[in-house]
Amino acid sequence: MEVLDLSYELSNLRYRGVTLNLDEKMQLEMALHQLHTDQAKEADELLFWGKITGIKNDYFVAMSVTYQGQFEFPFKRFYWCLSNDFSFKEMPDLNDQHKDFINNDTSYFVGEPSKKLIQPAEGEEAGEDPKEDEGEEGEEGGKKELDSDVSEQEEVKVPHKDLVEIDRLKYVVLAIENDCQIAPVGAFKMTSQHQVRRNEAFKGLDAKSSCDLRNYAHFRNVQSDEKKKRLDEPSAPFGRNFLEQ
């Protein structure tokens, strides 16, 4: 939802029982405008992404979209705030070390961003200690020196990190965005520089076309190899179906 049209866009959802109360709406609008002024001022668009209900506090999520200077697809950045403070912060980098746990976790969000869901086992916080090079004992009982010209390839291991609720929120938001974010075919165009822009000539779909799934595409980076090859063709900027359907 566009920040400037937030009140109007939310009114379209109230008939389905999905909306915000007056206090939430006013504080959310002020928080989004503050976010646009402080952190997302360089983005081309700032959108209200949605609300995720928690047991103690709810999460509100915003998304900024940058089109300029991005090759073949715009850059998305996500922000979050709680229902008890309405102060947006940028989401942390994705922690996918515990993706199997997150995929199997069906519990409710609590609304405590720093709540630990998984802690590393004792002694794993800093990763494994580096191994010291030991010389091999020779026939005379001495140690052979390692050849300085021979470099041994060491396995790089990433230290285990705690899984906190804000990490799970980022993972869930990205999963929903990847699978569910769609746009009508023709709503976006690709320029000759292979940059995506909104299509000013697009006036929307008629009632019949809007009910046909073939007229929609995923608004995400192209993931199939076939579609990636088509983007390398010279005619790619002149087609409408450069996104995956």
Side-chain angles (χ1 to χ4, degrees), residues 1-4 31-37 40 43-48 62-65 77 79:
M1 297 181 185
E2 284 280 359
V3 173
L4 298 178
L32 287 171
H33 285 291
Q34 188 67 35
L35 172 63
H36 188 269
T37 303
D44 296 310
E45 292 180 358
L46 180 63
L47 309 173
F48 173 55
M63 178 181 71
S64 66
V65 184
R77 192 185 302 273
Y79 305 87

Side-chain angles (χ1 to χ4, degrees), residues 104-119:
N104 296 322
D105 188 2
T106 58
S107 62
Y108 290 103
F109 282 91
V110 178
E112 296 179 351
S114 58
K115 176 181 174 60
K116 292 185 179 181
L117 306 179
I118 291 182
Q119 301 183 42

Side-chain angles (χ1 to χ4, degrees), residues 179-195:
D179 295 343
C180 303
Q181 179 69 288
I182 60 175
V185 174
F188 292 89
K189 64 182 180 181
M190 180 173 287
T191 67
S192 57
Q193 290 80 25
H194 278 242
Q195 296 182 11

Side-chain angles (χ1 to χ4, degrees), residues 75-89:
F75 176 72
K76 300 177 181 179
R77 192 185 302 273
F78 294 89
Y79 305 87
W80 65 276
C81 74
L82 290 174
S83 56
N84 63 350
D85 64 357
F86 286 94
S87 177
F88 277 99
K89 308 172 187 64

